[in-house]
């Protein structure tokens, strides 16, 4: 083991020196891979450590038992007395002498056993230490390879001349002897394994009932409808049956590969074929599961309501992909597991290129902007930015596997082979999240339909009651209509909020899973730390040093910037949903919290980005000075408005939803920005008011501390009318209105004697400013109806006409222009 450790240490040092001198030179990857293949496997070393630990524990326990027995018989007389207490007679002198001899012999044996156990423990400790050192060295070597091997060329570029060796390599890999041995291994397992034949029988039963499973899936799809009897459990049942039907053939491959791997009769080819079948079983399962989801009347069609045209397209492409992708993947995996270096041979790269070409063609057809499954999104989405970004995403989706094929042709088959499984895992992860999102949306639809159905009887009973009241009062049930609309809006708003929360959760889960999938590639990115772009001075330990800014720092800064933009866009909305669901904060408080969250994210993102690119705050003093000069001149109003906006968010003299009066404008506050606040007036027009005016000017807030507001209705009745009756009708009208508060109670006063009328004033209160307009309208209409029935006349303005009688008055009688009498004349009068 000492030689092996020395050889591994020498190989690691040689590799480091080679890279330090010549960089990632041609064929360096092939040499490093060959060295890794010659070194002991990391898992085998770990199993050896576990075995050594168990053996040490066993020997240590035995040594402890022997030491306890040594102490127990250390004094023969004491041991004899302890033994005599259990005997019925005292030992004779001959027995005592014989017992002493036996004890001495036992003591000698125990001393020898303990000495050998001590030696064994010492040897095991030395072996464990050496194995641990070997494991540590192997870990260091693996970390070194993970950092550099991905960038190193592992084969020569493919040329026309090199393709001539392809038939020979294909014949060597697909030689009948290897497949014959694989068949013998399966026959041996069928005779001797206790699990192989039962597993095959179980798979045979599943294969026999596969048609029934598909029929049951379609039957569950036909049971769905718009009634409240629709159940989400049917979708879960269909999903479980879909996975079961899709897993039959992958399970057959997996069981076959498992039995070939554990068989003692296998050879290198059978073991490579077993590993290939185990990996291929997962890929086949993903393909079959997605194909089964797209069945007619299946999960995607009946339950998720995906368009039938898209489902037909998906089924066709998945069938084409399976017939090309799976055989090419099997050949490539067998070649790789026989020897990773064989991936550099033409047979390995040709099979890899066929696999990549099938992926590129399938992705191109599936996601084409005009003919793919997302063509409606790319052509008709309401957001232009998303439509334009779809083309870039489509190019990236097609270019990623295509670039792996180009890497294999250029002499980087190991790099391409390492990245392809990660790319496939990412694709299946995205497909899984899409299906999971569809399941949750299905549950939301069922829940919303059930809420709507449960609310319908209540609305119908309310309609009947309102109609009965309207028959007695001759008033239309407008209040109930508004209630119905509000209920529908509440249900729809709840569904939209849940959809946004679901999208945020899916996005978060996708990011976490993406980091987990690509974590194996992160060590290779450490090489970017060696690419120095510039240096920046920084104070470290009291002295100024020139620290490098590398390409890795720039990449990390871009990640920080992208994360900041995403968080600024999505986190405030998520905070709003959390506060809305779990707190009782008002709309203004929630808006303040989300706005301050956005400010904090932007500030933190800017600090992290500047720190990565090497910007020292001491170097930004000129910027601070320039800002100070700018504040003194052109930026003072902007900064004043910004500070005023912060004061508004903390002090909250104005909140989202408040009804305010600024100057001659009345309206509702809809938005509070950094510089200005938006007010929407009653005509729907938006007025931008600088924040400074709310702090330094006069502001009328109708709903600052209390939403309750007073309504004044002033009217005049004719002189001679019944004033007490009129006052009683006014008060009765206010008390019967549902929007008028009972406390404070409405009141009516006889305010004054007007020129033309007796002035009465009705004072009442409503709970919200939003109710003022409709309440005033309802009260005026009801007052008019009641006064008309009571015969109380609303006074008209009276005017006295004075004629100047100093001079003669000229009176002229005019005959109508036609022969018909006027309306105020009787027939026969002129």
């Amino acid at each position: 083991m000492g030689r092996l450790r020395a050889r591994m240490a020498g190989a690691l040092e040689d590799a480091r020196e080679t890279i330090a001198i010549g960089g990632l030179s041609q064929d360096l990857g092939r040499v490093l891979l060959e060295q890794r293949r010659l070194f002991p496997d990391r898992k085998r070393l770990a199993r050896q450590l576990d075995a050594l630990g168990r053996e040490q524990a066993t020997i240590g326990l035995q040594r402890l038992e022997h030491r306890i027995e040594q102490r127990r018989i250390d004094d023969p007389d004491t041991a004899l007395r302890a033994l005599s207490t259990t005997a019925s007679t005292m030992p004779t002198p001959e027995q005592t002498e014989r017992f002493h001899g036996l004890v001495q012999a036992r003591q000698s044996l125990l001393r020898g056993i303990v000495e050998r156990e001590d030696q064994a423990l010492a040897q095991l400790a030395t072996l464990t230490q050496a194995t641990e050192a070997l494991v540590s060295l192997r870990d260091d070597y693996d970390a070194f390879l993970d950092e550099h091997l991905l960038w190193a060329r592992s084969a020569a570029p493919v040329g026309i001349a090199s393709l001539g060796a392809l038939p020979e390599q294909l014949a060597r890999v697909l030689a009948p002897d290897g497949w014959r041995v694989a068949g013998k291994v399966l026959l041996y397992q069928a005779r001797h394994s206790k699990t192989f034949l039962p597993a095959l029988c179980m798979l045979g039963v599943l294969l026999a009932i596969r048609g029934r499973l598909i029929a049951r899936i379609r039957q569950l799809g036909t049971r769905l409808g718009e009634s409240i009897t629709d159940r989400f459990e049917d979708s879960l049942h269909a999903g479980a049956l879909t996975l079961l039907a899709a897993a039959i053939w992958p399970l057959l491959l997996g069981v076959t590969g498992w039995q070939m791997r554990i068989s003692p009769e296998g050879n290198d080819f059978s073991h490579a074929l077993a590993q290939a079948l185990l990996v291929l079983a997962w890929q086949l399962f993903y393909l079959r599961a997605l194909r089964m989801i797209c069945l007619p009347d299946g999960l995607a069609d009946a339950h998720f309501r995906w368009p039938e045209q898209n489902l037909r397209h998906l089924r066709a492409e998945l069938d084409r992909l399976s017939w090309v992708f799976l055989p090419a993947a099997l050949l490539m995996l067998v070649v790789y597991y026989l020897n990773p270096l064989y991936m550099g041979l033409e047979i390995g790269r040709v099979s890899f290129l066929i696999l990549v070409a099938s992926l590129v063609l399938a992705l191109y057809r599936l996601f084409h902007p005009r003919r793919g499954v997302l063509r409606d999104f790319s052509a008709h989405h309401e957001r232009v930015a998303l439509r334009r970004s779809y083309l870039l995403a489509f190019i990236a989706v097609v270019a990623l596997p295509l670039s792996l094929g180009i890497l294999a042709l250029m002499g980087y088959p190991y790099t391409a082979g390492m990245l392809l499984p990660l790319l496939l895992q990412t694709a299946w992860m995205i497909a899984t999240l899409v299906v999971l999102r569809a399941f949750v949306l299905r549950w939301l639809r069922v829940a919303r339909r059930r809420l709507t159905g449960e609310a319908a009887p209540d609305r119908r009973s309310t309609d009947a009651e309102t109609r009965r009241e309207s028959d007695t009062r001759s008033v239309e049930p407008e209040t109930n209509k508004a209630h119905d609309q509000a209920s529908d809006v509440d249900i729809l708003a709840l569904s939209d909020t849940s959809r946004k929360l679901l999208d945020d959760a899916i996005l978060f889960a996708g990011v976490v899973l993406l980091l987990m999938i690509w974590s194996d590639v992160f060590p290779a990115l450490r090489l970017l730390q060696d690419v120095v772009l510039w240096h920046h001075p920084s104070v470290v330990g009291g002295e100024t040093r020139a620290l490098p800014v590398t390409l890795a720092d720039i990449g990390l800064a871009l990640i920080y910037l992208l994360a900041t933009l995403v968080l600024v866009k999505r986190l405030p909305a998520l905070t709003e949903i959390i506060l809305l669901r779990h707190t009782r904060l008002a709309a203004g408080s929630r808006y303040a919290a989300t706005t301050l969250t956005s400010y904090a994210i932007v500030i933190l993102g800017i600090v992290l980005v500047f720190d990565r690119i090497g910007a020292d705050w001491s170097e930004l003093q000129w910027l601070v000075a320039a800002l100070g000069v700018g504040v003194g001149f052109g930026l003072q109003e902007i900064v004043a408005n910004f500070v005023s906006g912060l004061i508004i968010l903390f002090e909250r003299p104005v909140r989202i939803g408040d009804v305010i009066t600024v100057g001659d404008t009345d309206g509702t506050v809809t938005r509070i920005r950094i510089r200005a606040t938006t007010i929407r007036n009653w005509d729907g027009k938006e007025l931008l008011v600088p924040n400074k005016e709310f702090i330094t000017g006069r502001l009328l807030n109708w709903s600052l501390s209390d939403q309750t507001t007073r309504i004044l209705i002033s009217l005049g009745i004719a002189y001679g009318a019944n004033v007490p009756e009129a006052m009683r009708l006014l008060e009765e009208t206010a008390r019967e209105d549902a929007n008028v508060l009972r406390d404070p109670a409405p009141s009516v006063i006889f305010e004054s004697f007007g020129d033309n009328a007796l002035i009465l004033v009705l004072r009442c209160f409503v709970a919200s400013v939003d109710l003022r307009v409709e309440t005033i309208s309802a009260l005026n209409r009801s007052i008019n109806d009641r006064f008309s029935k009571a015969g109380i006349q609303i006074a008209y303005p009276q005017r006295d006409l004075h004629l100047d009688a100093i001079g003669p008055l000229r009176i002229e009688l005019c005959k109508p222009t036609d022969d018909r009498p006027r309306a105020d004349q009787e027939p026969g009068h002129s």
Side-chain angles (χ1 to χ4, degrees):
M1 187 169 291
R3 293 180 183 177
L4 180 60
R5 186 174 59 182
R7 184 154 55 91
M8 289 180 62
L12 178 59
E13 188 63 28
D14 292 342
R16 287 174 175 171
E17 290 180 357
T18 302
I19 292 178
I21 295 174
L24 299 174
S25 59
Q26 184 176 357
D27 291 343
L28 178 63
R30 181 182 58 80
V31 177
L32 296 178
L33 283 173
E34 184 64 31
Q35 285 185 345
R36 169 185 276 182
R37 187 166 173 267
L38 295 176
F39 292 155
D41 183 55
R42 174 66 170 78
K43 295 181 180 179
R44 184 168 64 85
L45 293 176
R47 289 195 295 269
Q48 289 180 0
L49 277 178
D50 292 339
L52 289 174
R54 289 193 298 270
E55 189 174 357
Q56 280 181 312
T58 301
I59 296 176
L61 180 61
Q62 294 174 355
R63 180 180 180 278
L64 177 62
E65 293 175 350
H66 294 154
R67 292 288 295 171
I68 292 173
E69 187 177 359
Q70 270 187 319
R71 295 188 186 95
R72 185 169 57 83
I73 64 174
D74 186 41
D75 186 3
D77 296 330
T78 303
L80 181 60
R81 284 194 298 271
L83 186 62
S84 300
T85 57
T86 60
S88 58
T89 58
M90 293 297 296
T92 62
E94 292 82 5
Q95 292 175 338
T96 301
E97 184 178 359
R98 185 179 178 185
F99 178 77
H100 279 280
L102 292 174
V103 167
Q104 290 176 358
R106 181 66 175 173
Q107 288 177 343
S108 177
L109 290 174
L110 288 174
R111 281 194 298 269
I113 292 174
V114 170
E115 288 178 359
R116 286 192 295 272
E117 288 172 344
D118 290 338
Q119 294 175 359
L121 287 176
Q123 293 176 356
L124 287 174
T126 302
L127 187 60
T128 300
Q129 185 178 4
T131 307
E132 289 177 347
L134 197 61
V135 169
S136 177
L137 189 59
R138 177 61 194 257
D139 291 339
D140 293 341
Y141 191 76
D142 287 340
F144 174 79
L145 292 184
D146 292 337
E147 185 175 345
H148 295 87
L149 196 57
L150 208 63
W151 308 96
R153 179 179 291 173
S154 56
V158 174
I160 301 298
S162 60
L163 294 178
L166 182 61
E168 179 185 355
Q169 296 172 5
L170 187 62
R172 184 171 48 177
V173 172
L174 300 179
D177 293 339
W179 296 96
R180 191 179 300 112
V181 171
K184 291 181 180 179
V185 169
L186 289 177
L187 290 176
Y188 177 84
Q189 290 299 111
R191 294 188 186 125
H192 298 85
S193 177
K194 297 180 180 180
T195 57
F196 190 28
L197 289 180
L200 290 180
C201 293
M202 182 186 67
L203 292 176
V205 172
L206 290 177
L207 189 61
I209 64 172
R210 182 175 179 272
R212 296 182 181 179
L213 295 177
I214 295 176
R216 178 59 177 167
I217 292 171
R218 291 175 173 170
Q219 180 185 2
L220 290 172
T222 57
R223 290 172 48 180
L224 304 181
E226 297 296 332
S227 65
I228 60 174
T229 58
D230 190 3
R231 300 186 309 165
F232 178 68
E233 289 77 7
D234 291 338
S235 299
L236 294 178
H237 189 190
L241 294 178
T242 299
L243 294 180
L244 182 60
I248 297 175
W249 293 111
L251 281 175
L252 179 60
L253 288 184
V255 169
T256 304
W258 169 51
Q259 291 294 320
M260 292 178 63
R261 189 178 65 176
I262 65 176
S263 176
E265 297 294 320
N267 59 1
D268 292 341
F269 181 82
S270 65
H271 290 160
L273 181 59
Q275 289 293 118
L277 290 177
L278 289 174
V279 175
L280 197 65
W282 284 106
Q283 301 300 323
L284 178 59
F285 173 72
Y286 293 137
L287 287 171
R288 295 305 303 168
L290 190 56
R291 177 64 173 78
M292 292 293 297
I293 288 174
C294 299
L295 280 177
D297 294 328
L299 204 59
D301 185 12
H303 299 259
F304 299 160
R305 299 180 182 177
W306 290 358
E308 174 60 27
Q309 185 177 2
N310 293 344
L311 295 179
R312 288 198 301 269
H313 195 176
L314 271 171
R315 290 195 297 267
E317 291 302 328
L318 289 173
D319 290 338
R320 293 193 192 101
L321 182 63
S322 300
W323 287 109
V324 180
F325 174 84
L326 294 175
L330 178 62
L331 180 60
M332 183 196 71
L333 290 171
V334 169
V335 170
Y336 175 79
Y337 285 115
L338 280 174
N339 189 344
L341 293 177
Y342 288 175
M343 281 297 297
L345 299 179
E346 281 65 24
I347 182 174
R349 281 192 274 188
V350 167
S351 59
F352 182 84
L353 289 176
I354 295 174
L355 185 149
V356 167
S358 65
L359 279 178
V360 170
L361 186 59
L363 293 174
Y364 177 82
R365 289 175 174 173
L366 282 175
F367 299 106
H368 194 276
R370 291 189 298 273
R371 298 186 298 273
V373 295
L374 298 178
R375 56 187 174 275
D376 294 335
F377 174 87
S378 62
H380 304 295
H381 198 275
E382 57 185 7
R383 299 179 63 178
V384 180
L386 288 179
R387 293 204 305 267
R388 294 177 178 175
S389 61
Y390 180 81
L391 181 59
L392 297 177
F394 168 71
I395 295 174
V397 166
V398 176
L400 283 176
L402 185 62
S403 62
L404 297 183
I406 296 174
L407 283 176
L409 290 175
M410 293 174 58
Y412 295 88
Y414 178 81
T415 303
M418 285 290 294
L419 296 179
L420 180 63
L422 304 180
L423 196 62
L424 290 175
Q425 292 178 30
T426 303
W428 296 129
M429 179 267 293
I430 294 174
T432 303
L433 291 179
V434 169
V435 174
L436 180 62
R437 180 180 181 273
F439 265 110
V440 180
L441 289 179
R442 159 79 177 143
W443 175 75
L444 288 176
R445 284 198 299 269
V446 173
R448 186 175 67 180
R449 189 180 302 127
R450 186 164 298 173
L451 287 175
T452 306
E454 291 174 354
D458 296 335
R459 289 201 299 267
R460 286 195 293 268
S461 62
T462 305
D463 289 341
E465 183 179 352
T466 305
R467 281 194 298 269
R468 287 194 297 269
E469 294 179 358
S470 64
D471 291 340
T472 59
R473 297 172 52 188
S474 299
V475 178
E476 291 185 4
E478 294 183 359
T479 304
N480 187 64
K481 293 179 181 178
H483 174 73
D484 289 346
Q485 294 174 359
S487 300
D488 294 340
V489 170
D490 290 341
I491 294 174
L492 292 176
L494 179 63
S495 178
D496 292 339
T497 302
S498 302
R499 187 188 296 267
K500 292 179 181 178
L501 183 61
L502 169 64
D503 292 338
D504 292 333
I506 291 294
L507 178 62
F508 178 77
V511 171
V512 173
L513 292 175
L514 202 63
L515 293 177
M516 294 174 60
I517 291 173
W518 291 87
S519 59
D520 293 339
V521 182
F522 293 161
L525 300 180
R526 296 173 188 165
L527 194 66
L528 300 178
Q529 296 178 355
D530 298 335
V531 183
V532 178
L533 301 178
W534 65 80
H535 291 78
H536 69 96
S538 180
V539 178
V540 179
E543 59 183 34
T544 303
R545 297 181 181 178
L547 298 181
V549 176
T550 63
L551 191 60
D553 294 327
I554 299 299
L556 199 56
L558 293 176
I559 293 175
Y560 288 155
L561 181 60
L562 181 61
T564 301
L565 295 177
V566 172
L567 289 177
V568 165
K569 184 178 180 181
R570 306 301 297 180
L571 189 59
L574 181 61
T575 305
E576 173 80 14
I577 294 174
I578 294 174
L579 293 177
L580 181 63
R581 285 178 173 265
H582 301 287
T583 66
R584 295 183 178 180
L585 294 177
S589 302
R590 295 196 303 269
Y591 186 83
T594 55
T595 303
L596 293 176
T597 302
S598 301
Y599 291 167
I601 292 172
V602 171
I603 294 174
L604 180 62
I606 291 175
V607 170
L608 291 176
V609 170
F610 273 85
D611 181 68
R612 283 289 96 191
I613 64 176
D616 195 352
W617 292 111
S618 61
E619 298 177 356
L620 300 179
Q621 293 178 356
W622 61 271
L623 181 59
V624 177
L627 287 176
V629 175
V631 168
F633 291 98
L635 298 180
Q636 57 180 352
E637 291 296 329
I638 297 177
V639 174
N641 288 322
F642 173 73
V643 175
S644 299
L646 294 179
I647 295 174
I648 290 173
L649 290 176
F650 282 102
E651 188 178 330
R652 296 197 298 158
V654 176
R655 301 162 300 186
I656 298 296
D658 283 353
V659 178
I660 65 173
T661 299
V662 178
D664 57 351
T665 301
D666 298 333
T668 304
V669 179
T670 59
R671 196 177 305 166
I672 301 176
R673 295 293 189 184
I674 295 177
R675 187 192 67 83
T677 297
T678 304
I679 302 173
R680 179 180 285 112
N681 64 9
W682 310 128
D683 295 331
K685 299 177 181 178
E686 291 185 337
L687 175 68
L688 296 179
V689 181
N691 293 329
K692 181 181 177 183
E693 294 190 13
F694 294 103
I695 303 301
T696 60
R698 300 183 64 179
L699 169 68
L700 176 59
N701 193 331
W702 294 61
S703 54
L704 177 59
S705 59
D706 191 358
Q707 289 282 336
T708 304
T709 181
R710 189 178 70 171
I711 293 176
L712 293 178
I713 297 180
S714 178
L715 73 160
I717 61 176
Y719 277 90
N722 190 347
V723 174
E725 178 67 14
M727 295 177 67
R728 186 188 66 80
L729 291 176
L730 286 175
E731 186 173 354
E732 182 180 320
T733 301
R735 290 183 182 277
E736 292 181 358
D737 192 282
N739 293 334
V740 175
L741 298 178
R742 301 296 178 264
D743 184 20
S747 63
V748 181
I749 64 170
F750 187 171
E751 186 178 53
S752 63
F753 295 91
D755 294 336
N756 309 306
L758 303 176
I759 307 301
L760 305 181
V761 178
L762 169 63
R763 291 183 173 91
C764 59
F765 293 84
V766 292
S768 173
V769 180
D770 298 334
L771 300 175
R772 283 181 60 87
V773 176
E774 62 175 293
T775 305
I776 291 174
S777 176
L779 289 176
N780 285 333
R781 186 177 60 183
S782 181
I783 290 170
N784 182 64
D785 294 340
R786 290 173 185 266
F787 277 25
S788 297
K789 291 180 181 180
I792 299 175
Q793 183 180 4
I794 306 294
Y796 293 99
Q798 298 180 5
R799 297 291 182 266
D800 292 334
L801 181 62
H802 296 276
L803 301 177
D804 188 3
I806 298 176
L809 297 176
R810 181 181 178 182
I811 299 175
E812 183 176 339
L813 299 177
C814 298
K815 185 179 181 180
T817 56
D818 53 3
D819 295 335
R820 292 176 299 177
R822 296 194 305 271
D824 58 347
Q825 290 181 337
E826 297 179 1
H829 290 76
S830 60

